[in-house]
C-alpha cells in the first residue's frame, strides 16, 4: 500500500540549532515528493518539492531536503532554526501514474524554543 | 496572482443537515482537489476535478460529493452531516492535470458539526 511515514510527531529544538525532520515513503518506481508547512489556523504552504534531477532540493525559508531512493526517504533539514519556524510540517508523496492525489504523512510539530 | 480562496472560512452545522463549501482556484488553474484534515485521521484526499470531470476519488462515503464549473471553481457537498465530519476542509489547485505538479492550497473551511 502507498504510505508516508513521519516517525516524529514532535521535535523540540532550541533557536539557532540545526534540525532534521524525517520522512519515509513506501517504495515505488515513480514518485514526486513534497514538504508543506502549516501555521496555526492556516492552509498548507509548499516548502519544497522533488520531481526529478538533483537529489538535493532547496526550498523557501532556508529549508532543504534530500531524496534518497535506496532508503526511500526525503528528510527535511535546516541548519539554523528560528522561533518563527514553529509550525506543523507535512511530508507528501504523489505516486506517478493515473492517480494524482497527494498522500500525506501524519505531520511533525517543530517546536522551537528560545 | 490571487491565491486559492475558500468560502466560508468557518461554518457550524447540526447533525443531519447538509453543507456546501466553495473553492476558487488560482487564475488559470484547471485542476482542483479537496482534502479533509482531522486530528485523528490527518490529511486525507477526497477527490480531484479537472475540466469539470471527477478524475480521482478517495475513500469517503457517498455523502461526500463535488463538482467543478466551467470557470474551474469547485464546490463540495456533504449531506446528512455526522459529528465525525467536523474537520478542516482544504482545497488545492494546480495548473494542469499532469502528474507531478505541485498543488497550491487555500486557507481551508473549518466545519464544526454539533
Amino acid at each position: 500500500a502507498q504510505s508516508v511515514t513521519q516517525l516524529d510527531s514532535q521535535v523540540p529544538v532550541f533557536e539557532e540549532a540545526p534540525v532534521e525532520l524525517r520522512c519515509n515513503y513506501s517504495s515505488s518506481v515513480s514518485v514526486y515528493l513534497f514538504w508543506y508547512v502549516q501555521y496555526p489556523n492556516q492552509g498548507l504552504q509548499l516548502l519544497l518539492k522533488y520531481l526529478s534531477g538533483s537529489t538535493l532540493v532547496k526550498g523557501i525559508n532556508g529549508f532543504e531536503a534530500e531524496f534518497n531512493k535506496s532508503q526511500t526517504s526525503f528528510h527535511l533539514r535546516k541548519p539554523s532554526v528560528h522561533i518563527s519556524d514553529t509550525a506543523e510540517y507535512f511530508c507528501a508523496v504523489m505516486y506517478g501514474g493515473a492517480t494524482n492525489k497527494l498522500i500525506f504523512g501524519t505531520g511533525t510539530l517543530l517546536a522551537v524554543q528560545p | 496572482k490571487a491565491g486559492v480562496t475558500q468560502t466560508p472560512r468557518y461554518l457550524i452545522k447540526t447533525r443531519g443537515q447538509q453543507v456546501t463549501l466553495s473553492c476558487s482556484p488560482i487564475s488559470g488553474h484547471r485542476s482542483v482537489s479537496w482534502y479533509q484534515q482531522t486530528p485523528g485521521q490527518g490529511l486525507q484526499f477526497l477527490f480531484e476535478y479537472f475540466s469539470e470531470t471527477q478524475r480521482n476519488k478517495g475513500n469517503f462515503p457517498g455523502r461526500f460529493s463535488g463538482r467543478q464549473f466551467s470557470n474551474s471553481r469547485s464546490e463540495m457537498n456533504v449531506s446528512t452531516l455526522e459529528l465525525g465530519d467536523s474537520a478542516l476542509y482544504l482545497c488545492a489547485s494546480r495548473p494542469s492535470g499532469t502528474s507531478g505538479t505541485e498543488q497550491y492550497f487555500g486557507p481551508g473551511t473549518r466545519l464544526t458539526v454539533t
Side-chain angles (χ1 to χ4, degrees):
Chain A
Q2 299 168 342
S3 64
V4 180
T5 302
Q6 291 181 251
L7 285 174
D8 304 309
S9 60
Q10 186 167 346
V11 172
V13 63
F14 288 107
E15 195 173 19
E16 298 184 8
V19 70
E20 178 179 83
L21 305 184
R22 297 179 293 168
C23 173
N24 289 86
Y25 61 94
S26 57
S27 180
S28 177
V29 174
S30 176
V31 293
Y32 307 104
L33 300 155
F34 307 84
W35 274 99
Y36 285 89
V37 60
Q38 186 176 37
Y39 298 100
N41 299 314
Q42 294 188 27
L44 300 173
Q45 180 183 6
L46 179 69
L47 274 178
L48 47 79
K49 62 182 184 288
Y50 171 80
L51 304 181
S52 65
S54 174
T55 57
L56 181 64
V57 294
K58 294 188 183 298
I60 62 171
N61 301 340
F63 285 94
E64 64 179 34
E66 186 156 17
F67 168 58
N68 188 320
K69 188 174 182 178
S70 62
Q71 297 187 0
T72 60
S73 68
F74 190 55
H75 301 331
L76 180 71
R77 296 191 291 258
K78 186 169 183 178
S80 176
V81 297
H82 303 287
I83 294 286
S84 59
D85 292 324
T86 295
E88 189 91 25
Y89 291 79
F90 292 93
C91 179
V93 177
M94 183 181 289
Y95 290 90
T99 58
N100 295 322
K101 67 180 181 181
L102 282 171
I103 297 175
F104 285 90
T106 50
T108 297
L109 175 61
L110 176 61
V112 181
Q113 305 164 24
Chain B
K1 273 186 181 178
V4 178
T5 57
Q6 293 186 244
T7 56
R9 291 292 311 278
Y10 301 92
L11 204 51
I12 300 175
K13 289 287 188 179
T14 304
R15 270 182 303 175
Q17 288 186 315
Q18 75 166 17
V19 67
T20 299
L21 312 180
S22 180
C23 170
S24 293
I26 292 172
S27 177
H29 286 195
R30 296 168 60 194
S31 169
V32 173
S33 297
W34 288 88
Y35 293 82
Q36 181 197 64
Q37 185 178 23
T38 60
Q41 300 298 318
L43 281 151
Q44 293 186 288
F45 171 79
L46 279 157
F47 28 64
E48 179 196 12
Y49 285 87
F50 179 75
S51 293
E52 302 179 64
T53 301
Q54 186 181 90
R55 300 215 311 182
N56 292 295
K57 191 177 190 307
N59 189 25
F60 279 82
R63 299 185 297 108
F64 292 81
S65 62
R67 60 177 176 169
Q68 186 180 34
F69 302 94
S70 58
N71 61 358
S72 293
R73 189 177 70 85
S74 177
E75 288 181 348
M76 68 163 282
N77 183 277
V78 188
S79 62
T80 320
L81 284 166
E82 301 177 359
L83 293 178
D85 297 332
S86 293
L88 181 67
Y89 290 88
L90 294 164
C91 165
S93 76
R94 54 199 179 115
S96 72
T98 304
S99 182
T101 54
E102 64 266 36
Q103 300 183 20
Y104 297 86
F105 284 81
T109 294
R110 173 77 61 186
L111 172 64
T112 302
V113 182
T114 62

